Amino acid sequence: MHGIDLTIIWAVIIAFGIMMYVLMDGFDLGVGILFPFAPDEDARDVMMNSVAPVWDGNETWLVLGGAGLLAAFPLVYSVLMPALYIGVFLLLAGLIFRGVAFEFRFKATSSRNLWNWAFAGGSMVASFAQGAVVGAYIQGFNTVDGRYVGGALEWLTPFSVLTGLGLLAGYALLGSTWLIMKTEGYIQQWAYRIAPWLLAAVLLVFAVVSVWTPAVDPAAFERWFSVIRLIWIFPLLALLFAFLVLRSLRRRQQSMPFVATMGMFAFTYLGLLVTKWPYVVPPNYTLWDAASAPGSQLFLLIGMLFVIPVILAYTAWTYWVFRGKVRVGEGYH
């Protein structure tokens, strides 16, 4: 029982870390996705300055989730890395390009347009790769005796392409509502105009994925309609928050669209977790199948209990210090 408890604790920690990454890094990836469509170069300066103080701290959650997954559930890495090698490579390459673009664009003169595209392209590639990896996870992996036996591109299917495009739209929606909260004037008005269209795109993908998922994962159909019918509370709450996003946009509220979009993401994510529980490497391996030894989990858990409060504290402090509107000519650099 002790080992089972530790396994569940680690599952909660990693699920929390991944959700924090999606919510925190999602909006600054979204700002990058919207970058080529901004009204002008001044708007791009403001957009980048709105996320420059926080983007690298946001990615700490990805490191925490990835390191925790390796430590607590090593089987996940032995299956998912061979299965998703190209997708994970694209994700990391995109994050590297946008990270470099943050530093170089502010100092560039003749090559600024190059770094604009590095920032936008890196954001788009990283976001699409994340969404495609989620689609591959929903589909499941071809494994034998704890080893992946499928092809290098088996993760890239029409379904995973759709989930990749859906996450692109979702992050762009997060980015637009972040800009509504952090900017003013014509930049804010531009964000108000595009947000409803992005919300419509997200809801369309949400509907298609919901209909398509039982076809790629029959166990999901059984869970939705016979085993745990309470699971429907999560998509219903996600739709409620989508309505709140639309209502707050129509009322020209400034903070509520962002908060409601985060709520929509959170409940969609929770719905996915409950749909797949307790399979961490679907369709065959549960959390307990993939878990490391209880002694290893306990040793690492002690360190994690110190690390998480520190990350939460400096994240809260950073957002407090850099609160308020970002204006043309003002910035972090």
Side-chain angles (χ1 to χ4, degrees):
M1 181 61 73
H2 183 62
I4 292 175
D5 289 341
L6 284 175
T7 298
I8 292 175
I9 290 169
W10 268 107
V12 171
I13 289 172
I14 292 167
F16 175 73
I18 294 173
M19 183 167 73
M20 288 297 291
Y21 171 74
V22 168
L23 295 177
M24 307 299 282
D25 204 37
F27 71 80
D28 63 55
L29 284 166
V31 169
I33 293 166
L34 296 174
F35 215 61
F37 311 103
D40 55 32
E41 200 65 17
D42 283 342
R44 293 188 185 96
D45 289 341
V46 170
M47 290 166 70
M48 188 171 264
N49 282 327
S50 74
V51 296
V54 297
W55 74 272
D56 43 0
N58 292 342
E59 291 185 359
T60 306
W61 294 104
L62 181 63
V63 177
L64 180 127
L69 200 60
L70 176 61
F73 302 102
L75 179 68
V76 174
Y77 266 76
S78 68
V79 173
L80 265 61
M81 286 307 294
L84 302 172
Y85 183 84
I86 295 174
V88 172
F89 170 78
L90 290 172
L91 163 62
L92 296 177
L95 293 177
I96 290 168
F97 267 94
R98 68 190 297 273
V100 172
F102 263 108
E103 303 303 325
F104 279 47
R105 182 183 177 276
F106 287 111
K107 300 172 178 64
T109 52
S110 59
S111 61
R112 174 169 275 217
N113 196 48
L114 169 66
W115 297 114
N116 283 346
W117 282 107
F119 179 59
S123 301
M124 291 176 185
V125 168
S127 302
F128 175 81
Q130 288 178 28
V133 164
V134 171
Y137 174 75
I138 293 171
Q139 291 175 143
F141 302 95
N142 190 7
T143 58
V144 174
D145 297 328
R147 292 180 300 157
Y148 177 68
V149 295
L153 288 174
E154 201 166 291
W155 61 277
L156 193 62
T157 64
F159 182 78
S160 67
V161 168
L162 178 65
T163 56
L165 294 173
L167 198 62
L168 269 172
Y171 281 171
L173 175 63
L174 265 176
S176 66
T177 54
W178 168 260
L179 292 173
I180 287 169
M181 186 171 67
K182 294 293 289 184
T183 65
E184 56 189 13
Y186 76 99
I187 303 171
Q188 186 187 59
Q189 293 306 312
W190 169 72
Y192 271 124
R193 286 196 301 275
I194 62 173
W197 294 100
L198 293 168
L199 176 62
V202 171
L203 291 175
L204 177 62
V205 173
F206 184 85
V208 175
V209 167
S210 297
V211 172
W212 199 344
T213 295
V216 299
D217 180 16
F221 182 84
E222 182 183 357
R223 181 156 289 200
W224 288 358
F225 292 101
S226 61
V227 180
I228 309 177
R229 292 184 181 175
L230 281 175
I231 198 173
W232 286 95
I233 193 171
F234 295 110
L236 290 175
L237 285 170
L239 290 173
L240 172 62
F241 274 96
F243 168 75
L244 293 176
V245 174
L246 184 60
R247 189 178 70 172
S248 59
L249 289 171
R250 287 179 173 173
R251 293 180 176 179
R252 287 298 195 260
Q253 292 173 288
Q254 299 197 48
S255 298
M256 188 61 191
F258 182 66
V259 173
T261 303
M262 293 186 86
M264 189 172 70
F265 261 81
F267 283 109
T268 302
Y269 174 73
L270 290 171
L272 172 62
L273 290 185
V274 174
T275 297
K276 304 304 286 188
W277 178 270
Y279 293 96
V280 69
V281 183
N284 299 318
Y285 298 102
T286 66
L287 291 164
W288 296 275
D289 296 328
S292 58
S296 300
Q297 289 185 337
L298 180 60
F299 176 76
L300 294 160
L301 181 62
I302 294 169
M304 193 66 76
L305 293 177
F306 286 99
V307 170
I308 292 176
V310 172
I311 297 175
L312 287 170
Y314 80 64
T315 300
W317 180 80
T318 303
Y319 279 88
W320 174 255
V321 168
F322 293 99
R323 66 192 183 278
K325 297 288 186 180
V326 180
R327 299 176 178 86
V328 177
E330 299 177 357
Y332 168 59
H333 282 67

